[in-house]
Amino acid sequence: MSILNIILAILLPPLAVFLTHGLGSKFLICLLLTFVGWLPGVIYAFYVNSN
C-alpha cells in the first residue's frame, strides 16, 4: 500500500477501495460499511487493499 492509499483509507475508505479495485462488489461493501460506521469502513478498506 502506498502512502496516498493509506491516507485515503483513513479519510475516505470507499475512495481508496475504488482507486484500487474499481467499481464493484468490494466498493459497494466498503460504502455500506462506511455508512453504518466510519471505523468498519476503514478496517475493511485496509483489509481489502492489503491483499
Side-chain angles (χ1 to χ4, degrees), residues 23-40:
L23 191 62
S25 62
K26 292 178 182 178
F27 171 76
L28 294 175
I29 292 170
C30 187
L31 190 65
L32 178 66
L33 286 172
T34 304
F35 281 144
V36 170
W38 173 75
L39 189 59

Side-chain angles (χ1 to χ4, degrees), residues 1-49:
M1 287 177 62
S2 68
I3 298 296
L4 177 63
N5 205 358
I6 291 171
I7 293 170
L8 283 176
I10 293 170
L11 297 177
L12 297 167
L15 181 60
V17 173
F18 172 73
L19 291 176
T20 307
H21 298 284
L23 191 62
S25 62
K26 292 178 182 178
F27 171 76
L28 294 175
I29 292 170
C30 187
L31 190 65
L32 178 66
L33 286 172
T34 304
F35 281 144
V36 170
W38 173 75
L39 189 59
V42 170
I43 293 170
Y44 183 74
F46 273 109
Y47 173 73
V48 168
N49 288 335

